[in-house]
Structure formats: C-alpha cells, structure tokens
Amino acid sequence: MPTGTLHIDLEAVAANWRALDHLSAPDCETAATVKADAYGLGVTQVAPRLFAEGCRAFFVASADEGLELRRALGPEPRIYAFYGHMPGDTLTLKRADVVPLLCSLDQLTRHLETLPRHPFGLQLDTGMNRLGLKLDEWAAVAELALRAEPVLVMSHLSSADEPDSSENAAQLARFHEITDGIAVPRSLAATGGTILGPDYHFDMTRPGVGLYGGAPFDRAEPVVALDLPVIACFDVAAGETVGYNATWTAPAPARLATVAGGYADGLFRALSPGVDAMAGPVPCPVVGRVSMDLLTIDISHLDRDPETLRFLDPHHGIDALASKANTIGYEVLTALGRRYQRHYRGSVA
Ligand SMILES: *Cc1c(COP(=O)(O)O)cnc(C)c1O
C-alpha cells in the first residue's frame, strides 16, 4: 500500500443532502454546490450520487467545471456557474448547457450579445462585496435584464455561519428590497443560510460544505476518513529530537511511527504540535514538524506497532482538524491530496 487511503462515504453525502432538503419548505428546491471537484472529494462520484438521490440543480465555479459535470450527469439536471460568463466561456457554456450566473455589467453585455437565447442567472451583491451587481448597477439595468428573462436571481451571505451576526438580517432585508415582486426564482442560502431558517430559503437553497460533513451543519454525518500507512517504527532515547528543526524532544524513551502523508497531502504543517492520529480508539500524538510527505507519531503507549493510523475519524473530523491549523473545514477538504487512493462507499458512477 504505497499511499494513504481516503474513504469517502457517498451514502453520508446523500443523507446530508436529504437532511438539508428536509429543513426547507416543500416548494423550495434543494440544489448542491459541487465546485472545486465537490470540495476535493470527486465531482464525478459525488454528483451522480446526489442525482440518484433526487438532486436536479448543481452549482460549480467555472464553465469548465460545468462541462465536466455535464459529462458526468447527462442532459437532465440544471448546472449553474458562479463565475458567470467570462471571456472565452461562450462555447463551453453553450455546448455544456451551463447557466452562467452573471455578476457584472460587462458579463451581462457579453452574454446578451453572444448567447442571446441561452439561459442565464444574475448575482446581486447585498453586502458581501465579492461578486455580483452592486445595488446602483442593479437599479440601472434591472428592467433590461428582467426583460431578457433570467432563470435565477441570487445573492450570497457573508456571515451565515454566525447566526447572531447582524449581517444576516441586513443582507436578507436588502435582498427583499431589490427583488420582491420580480417573477424570477430567487436563491440566497448556502449551508449556513439553510440552517438560519425558512426566511432565508426563497425558491432554492444551494448547500455545499454541509453535504460533505462540515460546519455549520452540526448534524452532518461525517463523510471522510483518512488512513495512512506506517512506513517504519523505531525507538528513540530520552533527549533525542524529532524532525526538522528538532522541535520535539523525547521526554523518556519512546517508540515512534513515521507514516506516509504530509503537508503536500493536506495535512497542514501548522497541525503540529497538538493533533492526534488514531490507532483504533487510541489517540497517538503527532510529534515534531509535519514534512512534505511524512509525519512522525508517538506510539509508545500502544501494545504493538500499527500498520496504519487514521486521521479524520468521526470524533476528530474535518472541523476539529481545521481548528488545530487555525483554518476551516472547507480548506481541509479541498486540500486533501491527489496522492491518496480514493475509496468510495455508495457509488453509482
Ligand atoms: C461556495 C458557495 C456556496 C456553497 O457554500 P457552503 O458554505 O459550502 O454551503 C453557495 N453559494 C456561493 C455563491 C458559493 O460561493
């Protein structure tokens, strides 16, 4: 076994989608955000599983991601691209039947000139200040844009993972102000907004991270587990040091295991010290610096040398690992390396 094995539970992804779908009203459609290769987990596996579960609308970042997804899913589902209609996207959008979510006046002009009968959506900026027509731009072009019959109008919340943030209500109010009364389906909520409640759901929710087992969807079933093979086990004497810059000193004679995985595989250098790998139910601390492809783990307290050690077990999931590295579960997921063998449970692809 040359590399680690990343276990990806598509049954759990499907269960998480169903659970998020149950949170919203029957007349609100639950889509799925599968950008960045389904947050690193493999869009050609994840999306067909969600399609089999009943999901009929998918969000990706780029037109090219839309093309890959179209090939995986066939003609039926709707596919929306957050990057909108960029220079060079025209043919891809057309060929892959992807709906660009136009986010600027330039994009609106480009789209109406180059693909006048091709469906499009609109992104409005209600305060995130990242992508979307600003309020004054929208006021200036709303009439023209609506005459071209967009299929979706959406905005994105900046702070939906903080239920108490006043940003949420402020963005919701702005979204109402600028879209109430238009006869176009509306979407505001990703995972966080879906959990904030029905006021935020409108006609379609588009969760991403919650599908993959991440906060703020506390009730998500865990989706990933990572087993790393042990390459070598060895003893060190009290006072010996481990790894680059000799940052860890054995306080007593110790037995250590070096495993195949490191920061090039998404196990961030910032994880050490403070993170444990699991030998079955027994936590074993990572000692010394994380290297590019190697980690060293203290196994002194185990009865025998393990063959593999696990990261990301159900009790130490992506968000727990992320907090040790001062980041978020999203980054842990999307950083999971390409070198792992991927093992899918519940695949339909
Ligand atoms: C990534 C993204 C989503 C999904 O967000 P999650 O927090 O992962 O649920 C939805 N909408 C937009 C605009 C996004 O960029």
Side-chain angles (χ1 to χ4, degrees):
M1 190 165 60
T3 62
T5 303
L6 183 63
H7 299 275
I8 299 168
D9 187 348
L10 299 175
E11 300 292 350
V13 175
N16 291 335
W17 183 80
R18 278 197 311 273
L20 289 162
D21 188 37
H22 281 310
L23 287 181
S24 56
D27 57 349
C28 171
E29 178 171 18
T30 303
T33 295
V34 295
K35 64 196 181 196
D37 198 28
Y39 291 42
L41 300 187
V43 72
T44 59
Q45 291 283 336
V46 167
R49 185 64 184 85
L50 289 171
F51 184 82
E53 207 60 32
C55 182
R56 289 296 177 270
F58 295 84
F59 288 80
V60 293
S62 66
D64 286 347
E65 287 185 351
L67 177 61
E68 183 187 17
L69 183 57
R70 179 63 72 202
R71 288 181 174 139
L73 289 181
E76 188 180 342
R78 281 153 291 131
I79 300 175
Y80 303 86
F82 291 132
Y83 288 175
H85 190 151
M86 292 171 61
D89 280 349
T90 306
L91 265 181
T92 308
L93 291 169
K94 189 176 156 141
R95 196 177 299 156
D97 188 17
V98 168
V99 178
L101 297 163
L102 308 177
C103 56
S104 69
L105 295 181
D106 278 353
Q107 287 205 350
L108 182 63
T109 308
R110 178 179 302 122
H111 188 76
L112 296 179
E113 282 176 359
T114 59
L115 288 178
R117 274 172 299 280
H118 186 93
F120 69 95
L122 291 164
Q123 297 190 65
L124 307 180
D125 193 328
T126 52
M128 171 104 168
N129 283 313
R130 188 179 65 171
L131 272 189
L133 298 171
K134 306 284 177 239
L135 301 191
D136 57 331
E137 294 176 319
W138 175 235
V141 301
E143 204 184 311
L144 170 113
L146 290 171
R147 223 180 300 133
E149 297 184 3
V151 297
L152 187 70
V153 168
M154 59 160 279
S155 189
H156 194 48
L157 298 168
S158 71
S159 308
D161 59 343
E162 300 173 76
D164 298 332
S165 168
S166 60
E167 283 299 312
N168 296 319
Q171 286 193 261
L172 177 64
R174 239 169 272 141
F175 194 56
H176 272 297
E177 209 177 293
I178 60 178
T179 62
D180 277 356
I182 68 175
V184 179
R186 293 183 288 179
S187 177
L188 179 62
T191 302
T194 304
I195 293 164
L196 287 178
D199 287 353
Y200 289 83
H201 294 171
F202 294 88
D203 301 294
M204 187 193 277
T205 58
R206 38 173 218 277
V209 76
L211 305 174
Y212 312 112
F217 187 34
D218 301 336
R219 283 182 289 145
E221 288 187 21
V223 170
V224 291
L226 176 61
D227 289 328
L228 299 183
V230 173
I231 304 174
C233 298
F234 56 96
D235 297 313
V236 291
E240 285 196 83
T241 62
V242 169
Y244 285 121
N245 306 110
T247 56
W248 185 80
T249 305
R255 186 151 182 86
L256 304 179
T258 296
V259 304
Y263 60 76
D265 306 300
L267 295 162
F268 303 121
R269 191 166 175 275
L271 284 174
S272 168
V275 77
D276 291 330
M278 303 300 291
V282 185
C284 304
V286 172
V287 294
R289 290 252 159 97
V290 177
S291 303
M292 188 181 293
D293 334 275
L294 298 167
L295 283 165
T296 304
I297 292 163
D298 187 353
I299 55 163
S300 307
H301 51 303
L302 299 184
D303 301 338
R304 55 191 169 85
D305 293 345
E307 285 177 16
T308 62
L309 287 158
R310 173 162 282 200
F311 286 85
L312 301 172
D313 76 323
H315 306 292
H316 306 81
I318 53 173
D319 292 294
L321 194 74
S323 73
K324 301 273 191 203
N326 196 21
T327 182
I328 54 177
Y330 298 70
E331 193 176 11
V332 169
L333 285 173
T334 54
L336 287 167
R338 307 285 130 207
R339 289 192 283 192
Y340 301 130
Q341 290 183 41
R342 281 151 185 258
H343 183 268
Y344 289 94
R345 174 171 171 260
S347 176
V348 296

